[in-house]
Amino acid sequence: MSRNRDDWVSQRAYAIWEEEGRPHGRGESHWAQALREFEQLEATKASADGSDLIEKLKAAGRLMRAYDEAETQDIRRGRRKAASR
């Protein structure tokens, strides 16, 4: 384990212990909870330069534009069908 991870988990487990009123015998569960929180944070963390987030936003923008274009085409087709009736 990296030292930063151990330090973060240790500090978070201690904070959980204090939040719960410093109960006796709950150290393992506090450590496990802190470790889960750390892993969740790591899984959702962006890259240092934000490039992964930028790519996700670009992809979302492309999807939105494609959806808007398809919807516009459907509306135009619908109007043409209605006009030809």
Side-chain angles (χ1 to χ4, degrees), residues 17-68:
W17 175 69
E18 284 190 323
E19 290 169 6
E20 290 187 2
R22 300 180 177 186
H24 181 69
R26 301 271 328 273
E28 286 184 29
S29 67
H30 294 149
W31 184 272
Q33 179 181 344
L35 185 57
R36 283 191 305 274
E37 290 177 13
F38 179 84
E39 289 169 351
Q40 288 174 340
L41 287 171
E42 286 295 304
T44 59
K45 186 168 77 170
S47 63
D49 64 357
S51 60
D52 59 334
L53 180 58
I54 291 168
E55 287 305 312
K56 288 178 184 176
L57 291 171
K58 285 179 181 179
R62 285 191 295 270
L63 287 173
M64 292 301 295
R65 282 191 299 279
Y67 175 80
D68 289 344

Side-chain angles (χ1 to χ4, degrees), residues 64-79:
M64 292 301 295
R65 282 191 299 279
Y67 175 80
D68 289 344
E69 290 168 2
E71 187 174 296
T72 301
Q73 289 175 358
D74 288 345
I75 291 170
R76 288 181 183 153
R77 286 184 196 129
R79 287 185 185 154

